[in-house]
Amino acid sequence: MGTATRRPAPAPDRIGHGLVDMRGRVALYGGILRAGPRPGGGFRVSASIPVKQVGAVSA
């Protein structure tokens, strides 16, 4: 028999679509969201969002 993965049950009043919503919001700012299982167990979510330097002057 395989190993079962335990996940918390979603709250009944929860609104949203988790990673799908996160990916869309990150994309709005020109970023990239990466998510997936880690080799040693667990799950990793990382976002890369480009930002402009405060006070930068465009040429």
Side-chain angles (χ1 to χ4, degrees):
M1 191 173 252
T3 304
T5 302
R6 296 192 61 160
R7 295 184 179 125
D13 61 344
R14 206 166 147 187
I15 299 172
H17 295 86
L19 291 173
V20 173
D21 281 349
M22 289 172 63
R23 194 176 307 279
R25 290 178 185 183
V26 170
L28 283 174
Y29 295 98
I32 298 171
L33 182 90
R34 292 181 182 93
R38 295 180 59 187
F43 199 81
R44 176 177 296 171
V45 178
S46 66
S48 175
I49 302 171
V51 294
K52 292 183 182 178
Q53 184 177 358
V54 176
V57 179
S58 298

